[in-house]
Amino acid sequence: MRSKRFWVGLRLGILFVLMLLIIAPDWPAFGDRGYQLDNIVHEDRRFDFLTWEMDAFETKARAVVGGSQDYLSAQERKEQVLAYLDDVGQAQSLQAGIDSVFSDPSVADPQAATADKQAELDALRDDLAQRQPTVEAIVQEQVSAVLADEGFDIAGSTFPPVLMNMTPLPYMLIVSPRDRIEQIDYATLVPDISTDEKDEMETAVYDDLDLSALVVPIGGLGIYPAMIRETSNINWLAEVVSHEWTHHWLAFRPLGVRYLQDRDMRTINETVASLVQQEIGPEVIARYYPEYVPPPVDDQEAVPLPQQEPEPPAFDYSAELSKTREHVDALLAEGKIDEAETYMEQRRQEFWDNGYQIRKINQAFFAFYGGYAAEPGGAAGQDPIGPMLREIRAASPSLHAFVEAVSRVTSFEDLQAVYRDVVGGDPAAALS
């Protein structure tokens, strides 16, 4: 009897293990990087996308049903948007003043000292919340109209529809190997995470996983509706809404589907979206907010008089960052990881001394910021993707033709083929 119970128990035990393997095949091994990263981040620090999406779609649905912007003239629409953004700036200023009082050790009772300002801020925030859906609907329609005129339309309407929500944005924990610059993992974090918590996670990733990590702020996120950081700047808002919509459009094409495939595909996606925003954003301003069109840049440099000493060149952030990236790449290629990390910290201090308060420069810093290569130089260094895409755009008959051509790209080799077709010649010439 005892022997029978033993074999029955053994069979049940084996069956239980098999059921676990079938039902939960995705359980990570304790040494798995994703499992260890989850332990470092903690669930309470992760951003809750599901709740945010439900709230955002509810807000958008109410705005569509209400359609209050439909009864406004073009002038009234502009006035409502600009008044709203002005009040956002006022709210941000009030919040900064309150935060300053709470940080002042000489204030014994900061809550009492800021009570009036807090009441004013609460009333302003309630008012902004009531106006936000209408203002967002106006900006969405303005961006959509410009996109449609550029050819991004189906039967006169853009698809997918332009949808965005101004909201506190999550932070991103970016993870890169130490021996090369490449984003290999990330975690999306709550908006109110403290600097101490950021440093704690970055240090834990370095110590426990032997990887480079950095918590970075973002200006927008291409989920749907797009998450856009609250701003009082209409120029910035028009560009970022255009940028995130480009990700929505690309999500239905091979390029967007492969966003997470590798470093090259992420860089191509982000650079294409940045090139679109550089054209659509300013056109939105020129059409609907012409008084906010930036003044033209004077290309004529002042020539110093013979008796004047020439001023030393100003610290060029983009050029210096590009130089830093290139030297780091060279050191890592030689296997000099510690030397590269020491160099990056030295350079960070130089940037700080020149007014650029960068908290940390490491491999993860370049893995994230190097993915945006629409402008020459910067964190991308000598990456050829930015120059190639800029030349393809310059040789394309329209913005729509450019985006259509690159939207079929599924690899760096595909991009090189598009370059040959549109620009002609050797893609290597893009860096010369």
Side-chain angles (χ1 to χ4, degrees), residues 150-387:
E150 288 287 341
F152 296 96
D153 68 309
I154 299 175
S157 298
T158 55
F159 182 84
V162 179
L163 282 185
M164 62 90 173
N165 183 221
M166 284 186 282
T167 181
L169 259 68
Y171 283 89
M172 301 289 287
L173 173 66
I174 306 299
V175 179
S176 168
R178 293 178 61 208
D179 62 355
R180 67 184 188 279
I181 292 171
E182 179 183 359
Q183 181 177 319
I184 59 171
D185 215 333
Y186 70 95
T188 314
L189 311 173
V190 293
D192 57 351
I193 194 164
S194 68
T195 302
D196 286 344
E197 289 177 297
K198 296 174 190 175
D199 190 68
E200 174 195 325
M201 285 185 288
E202 292 162 356
T203 302
V205 170
Y206 184 92
D207 291 342
D208 299 347
L209 303 180
D210 194 28
L211 297 170
S212 173
L214 185 68
V215 177
V216 299
I218 57 177
L221 193 61
I223 64 173
Y224 199 73
M227 300 179 73
I228 306 295
R229 189 182 70 211
E230 185 182 66
T231 181
S232 59
N233 187 318
I234 184 60
N235 300 72
W236 186 89
L237 179 61
E239 290 195 6
V240 176
V241 172
S242 307
H243 181 109
E244 299 307 335
W245 179 85
T246 306
H247 287 305
H248 297 160
W249 189 88
L250 289 172
F252 295 90
R253 274 82 180 172
L255 177 60
V257 170
R258 291 166 176 78
Y259 182 99
L260 296 175
Q261 176 176 292
D262 54 37
R263 176 181 61 182
D264 289 340
M265 296 305 293
R266 174 179 174 268
T267 300
I268 297 169
N269 270 277
E270 290 295 352
T271 304
V272 168
S274 295
L275 290 169
V276 171
Q277 81 172 52
Q278 289 177 358
E279 297 190 40
I280 299 299
E283 179 57 31
V284 171
I285 300 302
R287 184 179 302 188
Y288 298 104
Y289 309 94
E291 63 270 40
Y292 286 86
V293 173
V297 177
D298 186 1
D299 293 330
Q300 294 183 351
E301 297 182 1
V303 179
L305 296 175
Q307 67 271 22
Q308 290 180 321
E309 286 287 337
E311 293 186 5
F315 187 86
D316 187 329
Y317 175 83
S318 180
E320 293 295 329
L321 198 58
S322 179
K323 182 171 72 174
T324 305
R325 169 66 187 268
E326 291 168 32
H327 189 55
V328 169
D329 282 337
L331 290 173
L332 293 179
E334 297 173 7
K336 299 177 180 179
I337 299 174
D338 292 338
E339 187 175 335
E341 291 173 343
T342 299
Y343 170 74
M344 283 187 280
E345 173 56 21
Q346 291 172 347
R347 291 292 287 162
R348 185 195 70 83
Q349 293 177 21
E350 292 178 34
F351 279 96
W352 189 283
D353 292 341
N354 282 277
Y356 297 95
Q357 298 184 353
I358 303 174
R359 187 172 61 85
K360 190 174 294 186
I361 296 180
N362 57 13
Q363 295 89 331
F365 174 95
F366 286 113
F368 178 74
Y369 292 108
Y372 299 82
E375 299 286 351
Q382 289 296 303
D383 191 322
I385 289 174

Side-chain angles (χ1 to χ4, degrees), residues 89-104 107 110 113-114 117-118 121:
Q90 176 64 16
Q92 292 173 334
S93 179
L94 283 168
Q95 185 64 64
I98 293 169
D99 292 343
S100 178
V101 173
F102 272 85
S103 301
D104 188 344
V107 179
T114 59
K117 282 189 175 182
Q118 187 63 58
L121 176 60

Side-chain angles (χ1 to χ4, degrees), residues 44-64:
D44 60 340
R45 290 172 174 166
R46 288 190 179 272
F47 186 80
D48 184 354
F49 281 104
L50 179 60
T51 300
W52 186 89
E53 285 278 4
M54 292 173 63
D55 291 343
F57 270 110
E58 180 183 353
T59 300
K60 292 303 171 188
R62 288 202 306 268
V64 170

